[in-house]
Amino acid sequence: MLLRTFCFITAMLALPLMAQETDAASTSEGEQAYVSDELFAFMHAGPSRNYRILGSIVVSTPITLIRYSDDREFVEVIDDRQRTGWIEAINVMRDTSLRVKLPQIQQQLSEAQAALQDARQNAESLQQQIADLESRLNGKNRQFEQLQAQVEQAEQQLSSKDQSELHEWFMRGGMIALAGIIIGVIIPYLPKKKRNRDGWMD
């Protein structure tokens, strides 16, 4: 287990160096490049450490590549102060230093966290609004159900009243018809008055 952990840590530490080597190998003459994550790189008068040191270039300084040495271990560059010299190719990278990028990344992270916090607050506010709307909707649904029950009750009462009035009219019509029948039967049997010779009825 300890051996695996040691191998993993060694591999992780080797990744930045491998990335720098890849960047250095992929850069070409005349290209804009930067000094790598070392604190500074020495500028020599020739393509070797044996040459006189002309000065140093601090981390993430933009440089212009002129040419590589035959073994591609050194590269001739022009720095930001227009000095020309040779630095080790391993100290050349195609992008700005991680130390320079770190504050920008931290700023972006802070902005992203603030935006995420705002989004969470907006989401909570929207959830509260949704809960309020659902509560109102439930209240409206209850009112609608109550009104629907009242309408059904009124319809039942109206139907019952219509049936009662129909029954009443039917009974009245029956009584009138019965009275007519009775009158029609009784009238013929009523005694008629006789007229005398003078035209007067006795």
Side-chain angles (χ1 to χ4, degrees), residues 16-17 20 34-42 49 56-61 88-93 96-100:
L17 181 58
Q20 290 179 7
Y34 300 89
V35 177
S36 67
D37 281 340
E38 299 296 332
L39 292 178
F40 58 87
F42 288 114
R49 294 182 181 176
S56 61
I57 307 176
V58 297
V59 61
S60 195
T61 299
E88 293 185 75
I90 195 173
N91 292 327
V92 176
M93 57 191 302
T96 56
S97 169
L98 293 177
R99 290 173 181 164
V100 174

Side-chain angles (χ1 to χ4, degrees), residues 4-54:
R4 291 181 180 178
T5 305
F6 176 76
C7 292
F8 177 76
I9 295 174
T10 303
M12 293 299 294
L13 292 175
L15 284 177
L17 181 58
M18 292 173 62
Q20 290 179 7
E21 291 176 351
T22 302
D23 286 344
S26 61
T27 53
S28 58
E29 289 83 353
E31 183 178 356
Q32 183 76 34
Y34 300 89
V35 177
S36 67
D37 281 340
E38 299 296 332
L39 292 178
F40 58 87
F42 288 114
M43 179 182 289
H44 297 270
S48 171
R49 294 182 181 176
N50 297 326
Y51 285 89
R52 179 171 57 91
I53 295 177
L54 302 177

Side-chain angles (χ1 to χ4, degrees), residues 159-171:
S159 176
S160 176
K161 183 178 181 181
D162 291 342
Q163 292 179 358
S164 177
E165 290 180 354
L166 181 62
H167 180 70
E168 184 178 353
W169 280 105
F170 179 77
M171 292 296 295

Side-chain angles (χ1 to χ4, degrees), residues 112-132:
Q113 290 176 342
L116 179 60
Q117 183 66 23
D118 292 340
R120 287 177 177 173
Q121 292 177 354
N122 291 334
E124 292 176 355
S125 177
L126 289 175
Q127 289 178 351
Q128 183 62 38
Q129 292 178 7
I130 291 173
D132 294 340

